Amino acid sequence: MAHRNTKQPNAAPLGLKRYYPVGFIVNLIIIVIFGLLMLFSASYTTAYLRFGDSYHFIRSQLIFAVLGLFTMLGVAQFDYHKYERWTWWGYGVSVLLLIVVLRCEPISGCRRWLHWPQKPLSYLPSIQVSEIVKFVIILLTAQIVIRYRKRRNSFFYGLLLPYLPLIPILVLLYMEPHLSGMVLMVMIVGTILFLGGNAFWWILGFGGAGFLFFAVSPKIEVLQNLTAYAGDRLAGWTSVFEDMLWQTQQSLLAIGSGGMTGLGIGNSMEKQLWLPECTNDFIFSILCEELGFLGAMIVILLFIGLILQGIYIAFNAVDLYGTLIALGITGQIGWQMFFNIAVVTNTVPNTGISLPFFSSGGTSLVLLLAEMGVMLNIARQGKRAQLQRKAAKEAAEQNEKKEN
């Protein structure tokens, strides 16, 4: 359909002010509930052995799920066009937060979380800033593509300019280090550019950047460290089981143990401290062990359904800005799901990307549900415009009949 850069239509015909895409919401709620159940199953042993409380992980995740659902409903009422005026401010704050994170105490050897060691602020939950940055970079890339759409065939406006704001973010993520976040940011921006009509420059530029990186990395110390870090991950990515990383070995053992129907919910052996990060990056392995191939396929189909519904919302948005935002959010979920499942099955090297709505992490869950609220607002405005066009067409046909 032809997109127009118009603002929100005025009247809401047929009581559309309360319209919500039911299929999208039902699919989302099923995924969230499924994710909470699997997180509790995967975490209660680890929580008890490490914290003396079997509900340590699920309690906070439930709180964040409720907070996220209320946030989603609130964001769904907010016109997404208003984000345009605040996007660059949000980008500046995001970069500032990424700098502040580097001053925080490391957790598991990485500085990815904003937390406060001093009381009473120490009781506040930590914040993973990269989750905020994902949403900001989606809004910013969509805005740049819209603003310079007529010049998208030039190298500067079609590729270089949309990626320029990403460079400081990638540098700061490298310093954390957060390689998986870097990969995901690049893929999100690339998805928006590719589907936004910048396909030629994106393909050419992406291939050229990859060639340039491998050509100059041996001569630059910072890039040497990055390639060495990635090289360690690549070294454990092999078809020889004995040479795989311990985490990958245990993940494959969990998946293989599940068979077709699984060992049963709660009966995983790998979650007994054998599989590291079984509540986060490798929760899908526990799902496969307990629910088997059939359970894994159900989850994959639920995600595919959510992605297809997201694409439908995107291409029925009232304007191109809404389309690009919806595609960016949908792309984020799709790429995270793909990389997470690919990592736990050893299809790609270990990159440490969480599974949306399943992995433990309050910031991720709240931000994902907030993004779902943006999707709902885009869907509502798209439906409103669709019904208005239909009503206008019917009115025109009636007037034509009267004149005849």
Side-chain angles (χ1 to χ4, degrees):
M1 75 183 265
H3 293 278
R4 307 184 308 280
N5 290 322
T6 56
K7 299 299 183 182
Q8 179 178 356
N10 295 322
L14 306 180
L16 194 61
K17 190 174 182 180
R18 298 183 180 180
Y19 167 79
Y20 288 101
V22 177
F24 181 82
I25 295 175
V26 170
N27 197 344
L28 175 64
I29 295 299
I30 292 174
I31 289 177
V32 172
I33 294 175
F34 206 154
L36 291 172
L37 290 173
M38 280 312 307
L39 177 61
F40 177 57
S41 179
S43 68
Y44 69 81
T45 299
T46 302
Y48 179 78
L49 294 175
R50 291 184 176 175
F51 303 100
D53 179 9
S54 299
Y55 303 98
H56 175 82
F57 290 101
I58 191 61
R59 182 187 296 112
S60 60
Q61 195 78 351
L62 276 170
I63 294 173
F64 284 117
V66 173
L67 176 62
L69 288 172
F70 277 106
T71 303
M72 179 183 74
L73 294 176
V75 171
Q77 311 301 318
F78 189 80
D79 181 8
Y80 68 88
H81 295 99
K82 296 180 180 179
Y83 294 126
E84 288 187 80
R85 69 185 70 171
W86 300 107
T87 300
W88 280 105
W89 286 99
Y91 173 77
V93 172
S94 299
V95 172
L96 181 61
L97 289 176
L98 286 174
I99 295 173
V100 173
V101 162
L102 297 177
R103 307 294 299 175
C104 295
E105 290 294 322
I107 299 176
S108 301
C110 300
R111 289 181 169 88
R112 302 178 185 176
W113 294 269
L114 185 64
H115 56 93
W116 301 266
Q118 300 296 327
K119 294 182 179 180
L121 295 179
S122 59
Y123 295 107
L124 295 175
S126 59
I127 299 174
Q128 189 167 2
V129 179
S130 60
E131 298 297 331
I132 301 174
V133 177
K134 290 175 189 175
F135 180 52
V136 172
I137 209 66
I138 289 172
L139 296 177
L140 184 58
T141 306
Q143 187 169 321
I144 291 174
V145 171
I146 290 294
R147 181 168 298 178
Y148 301 102
R149 180 163 177 77
K150 293 182 179 179
R151 304 181 184 180
R152 66 183 183 275
N153 292 326
S154 78
F155 175 76
F156 179 79
Y157 291 102
L159 177 73
L160 190 58
L161 182 61
Y163 267 108
L164 278 178
L166 193 59
I167 293 176
I169 291 175
L170 294 179
V171 172
L172 292 169
L173 289 176
Y174 164 76
M175 296 173 67
E176 292 185 359
H178 195 0
L179 181 59
S180 59
M182 296 171 65
V183 172
L184 194 57
M185 297 287 182
V186 171
M187 298 307 295
I188 290 173
V189 174
T191 299
I192 296 175
L193 292 181
F194 186 85
L195 297 177
N198 299 35
F200 172 74
W201 283 118
W202 181 81
I203 295 173
L204 183 64
F206 194 77
F211 175 80
L212 181 64
F213 174 81
F214 286 106
V216 304
S217 59
K219 303 176 183 179
I220 303 177
E221 183 177 356
V222 172
L223 296 181
Q224 287 176 353
N225 296 334
L226 180 59
T227 51
Y229 176 74
D232 293 338
R233 298 298 181 94
L234 288 171
W237 184 48
T238 173
S239 60
V240 181
F241 184 79
E242 291 75 13
D243 296 334
M244 294 178 184
L245 299 173
W246 168 265
Q247 198 173 34
T248 303
Q249 290 178 340
Q250 299 305 312
S251 173
L252 294 178
L253 287 173
I255 295 171
S257 299
M260 182 61 69
T261 58
L263 303 178
I265 192 77
N267 293 331
S268 166
M269 295 299 296
E270 289 294 332
K271 69 184 179 186
Q272 311 290 336
L273 301 186
W274 288 99
L275 177 60
E277 298 297 332
C278 66
T279 63
N280 201 313
D281 301 340
F282 282 78
I283 191 172
F284 190 76
S285 304
I286 305 301
L287 186 150
C288 292
E289 185 181 9
E290 295 189 346
L291 301 181
F293 176 79
L294 294 178
M297 286 306 302
I298 290 174
V299 171
I300 292 173
L301 290 174
L302 284 171
F303 272 110
I304 291 175
L306 192 70
I307 291 169
L308 291 176
Q309 289 166 327
I311 294 173
Y312 176 82
I313 290 173
F315 285 100
N316 285 275
V318 71
D319 55 14
L320 185 58
Y321 181 59
T323 295
L324 294 179
I325 292 176
L327 288 174
I329 293 173
T330 304
Q332 174 190 339
I333 294 174
W335 284 119
Q336 282 194 223
M337 180 205 72
F338 168 77
F339 280 118
N340 179 272
I341 296 176
V343 165
V344 302
T345 57
N346 200 39
T347 306
V348 301
N350 192 333
T351 56
I353 293 180
S354 60
L355 184 63
F357 305 109
F358 278 73
S359 296
S360 174
T363 309
S364 174
L365 185 58
V366 172
L367 262 295
L368 282 170
L369 289 172
E371 290 177 0
M372 296 301 99
V374 177
M375 295 290 288
L376 293 179
N377 187 262
I378 293 172
R380 294 175 66 196
Q381 293 198 35
K383 188 67 174 181
R384 179 183 292 116
Q386 180 183 0
L387 290 185
Q388 285 181 332
R389 288 193 297 270
K390 182 179 179 181
K393 182 179 178 181
E394 292 176 351
E397 291 176 350
Q398 291 177 0
N399 291 334
E400 185 177 352
K401 290 180 179 179
K402 290 180 180 179
E403 292 176 357
N404 294 332

